[in-house]
């Protein structure tokens, strides 16, 4: 199936953020396959002003700017003041700003500049239910979207994470760190995570899928894709009209 058809699948509920770690990726033809873009400014050393402006004119979806601290898996070791100096020049070309708790003091000025704030936290462990509840409330206190990436250590941890995602009362992006439970990345979107992250040329975090891999996963895992030969009849992908009723009737007839 062509990548255009994959993205155009109206049933798709797994939305993809392509995380970009170099201006060369801004020029990739795969850019258009993402639902949103993330510019990982902490991983980029060269000036990006002109390239980001060009990207803005080409890409129709939301553009996020992120400076990930070294404590949370990124490359930025500076403080809040220099963070603002790095982000401010690009505000006219982006829609959302990813802010960790340590940089929460910048949240209000970002909102004043009409930018959505993704309030994020990344941990290489699996917090308890109470810790996750407190973390969600803290992130929601300054962000428009809560974003948490944690590392399940068992199937029970993953089941907890899926439930926490499904029960979250706020807009949320939930992800996993590490590679052990990487398959949960797209599945978390089926439980309410607004996006999943992937890469175009090089990973910005261990365990990410490429955009091509994630596109196919997004199509195949979205409930709208049904067995093409249910009851011996071809069912067009994405057409669930009547499928559930027919399935129940079919089961009753057995
Ligand atoms: O926080 C996230 C999620 C991420 O770490 C991942 O695991 O895909 C990738 C980061 O670029 C992004 O800011």
């Amino acid at each position: 199936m062509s990548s255009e058809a994959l993205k155009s699948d109206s049933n798709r509920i797994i939305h993809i953020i392509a995380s970009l770690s170099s201006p060369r990726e801004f020029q990739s033809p795969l850019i258009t396959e993402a639902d949103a873009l993330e510019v990982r400014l902490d991983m980029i050393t060269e000036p990006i002003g002109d390239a980001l402006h060009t990207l803005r004119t080409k890409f129709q979806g939301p553009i996020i700017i992120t400076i990930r601290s070294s404590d949370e898996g990124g490359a930025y070791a500076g403080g809040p003041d220099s963070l603002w100096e790095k982000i401010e020049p690009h505000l006219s070309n982006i829609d959302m700003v990813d802010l960790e708790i340590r940089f929460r003091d910048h949240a209000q000025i970002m909102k004043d500049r009409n930018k959505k704030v993704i309030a994020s936290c990344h941990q290489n462990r699996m917090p308890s239910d109470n810790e996750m509840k407190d973390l969600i409330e803290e992130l929601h206190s300054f962000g428009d979207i809560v974003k948490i990436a944690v590392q399940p250590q068992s199937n029970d941890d993953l089941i907890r994470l899926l439930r926490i995602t499904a029960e979250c009362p706020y807009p949320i992006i939930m992800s996993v760190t590490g590679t052990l439970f990487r398959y949960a990345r797209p599945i978390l979107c089926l439980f309410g995570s607004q996006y999943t992250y992937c890469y175009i040329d090089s990973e910005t975090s261990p365990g990410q899928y490429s955009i091509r891999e994630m596109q196919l996963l997004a199509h195949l895992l979205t409930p709208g894709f049904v067995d093409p030969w249910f009851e011996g009849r071809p069912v067009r992908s994405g057409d669930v009209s009547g499928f559930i009723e027919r399935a129940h009737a079919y089961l009753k007839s057995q």
Side-chain angles (χ1 to χ4, degrees):
M1 183 176 269
S2 75
S3 57
E4 292 73 23
L6 287 173
K7 188 175 178 183
S8 65
D9 175 359
S10 59
N11 287 291
R12 190 169 57 92
I13 56 176
I14 298 172
H15 297 118
I16 299 168
I17 296 175
S19 188
L20 311 175
S21 56
S22 95
R24 283 176 300 286
E25 289 182 302
F26 294 11
Q27 298 159 20
S28 166
L30 292 175
I31 286 288
T32 55
E33 308 313 328
D35 298 288
L37 300 176
E38 178 195 45
V39 175
R40 277 290 301 273
L41 201 52
D42 60 296
M43 298 175 77
I44 298 175
T45 50
E46 60 261 55
I48 62 162
D50 293 343
L52 183 55
H53 179 69
T54 303
L55 183 66
R56 176 70 284 177
T57 60
K58 282 191 313 183
F59 185 71
Q60 305 309 314
I63 298 179
I64 303 158
I65 198 163
T66 296
I67 294 185
R68 183 68 60 238
S69 72
S70 48
D71 286 346
E72 296 200 20
Y76 179 68
D81 292 346
S82 55
L83 179 112
W84 169 254
E85 289 161 15
K86 289 175 180 295
I87 289 180
E88 198 280 332
H90 304 303
L91 287 180
S92 59
N93 287 318
I94 55 101
D95 306 284
M96 300 188 198
V97 181
D98 181 308
L99 290 177
E100 296 167 19
I101 292 170
R102 74 193 70 216
F103 303 129
R104 62 180 296 161
D105 289 347
H106 291 312
Q108 191 51 55
I109 194 167
M110 299 298 180
K111 295 179 181 180
D112 294 345
R113 301 280 289 265
N114 296 317
K115 306 305 168 186
K116 272 197 173 182
V117 171
I118 297 174
S120 69
C121 180
H122 310 74
Q123 301 187 29
N124 290 328
R125 56 184 281 267
M126 183 62 199
S128 68
D129 282 6
N130 284 337
E131 286 175 301
M132 288 292 283
K133 184 175 182 301
D134 293 345
L135 182 56
I136 286 171
E137 291 303 328
E138 181 170 17
L139 293 169
H140 177 67
S141 70
F142 68 93
D144 300 293
I145 300 174
V146 168
K147 181 174 94 174
I148 297 174
V150 289
Q151 197 164 115
Q153 302 298 311
S154 65
N155 288 342
D156 284 345
D157 279 353
L158 179 55
I159 290 166
R160 278 201 301 120
L161 190 62
L162 293 171
R163 178 177 44 75
I164 291 166
T165 305
E167 293 174 354
C168 183
Y170 312 121
I172 187 155
I173 298 172
M174 191 73 87
S175 189
V176 295
T177 59
T179 55
L180 184 60
F181 286 95
R182 69 187 298 238
Y183 65 84
R185 287 171 171 268
I187 293 172
L188 281 159
C189 292
L190 301 178
F191 285 77
S193 178
Q194 289 197 341
Y195 287 102
T196 185
Y197 288 80
C198 68
Y199 70 88
I200 288 185
D201 292 338
S202 52
E203 291 178 357
T204 61
S205 185
Q208 282 180 335
Y209 290 97
S210 72
I211 190 164
R212 278 272 189 260
E213 291 168 330
M214 189 56 82
Q215 262 192 336
L216 196 51
L217 284 166
H219 177 72
L220 294 173
L221 292 174
T222 290
F225 184 83
V226 297
D227 174 345
W229 286 99
F230 179 72
E231 294 180 317
R233 292 200 307 272
V235 175
R236 188 168 50 80
S237 166
D239 176 5
V240 291
S241 56
F243 172 71
I244 305 298
E245 293 73 14
R246 288 207 317 276
H248 286 308
Y250 181 73
L251 293 173
K252 278 180 188 161
S253 69
Q254 298 307 301

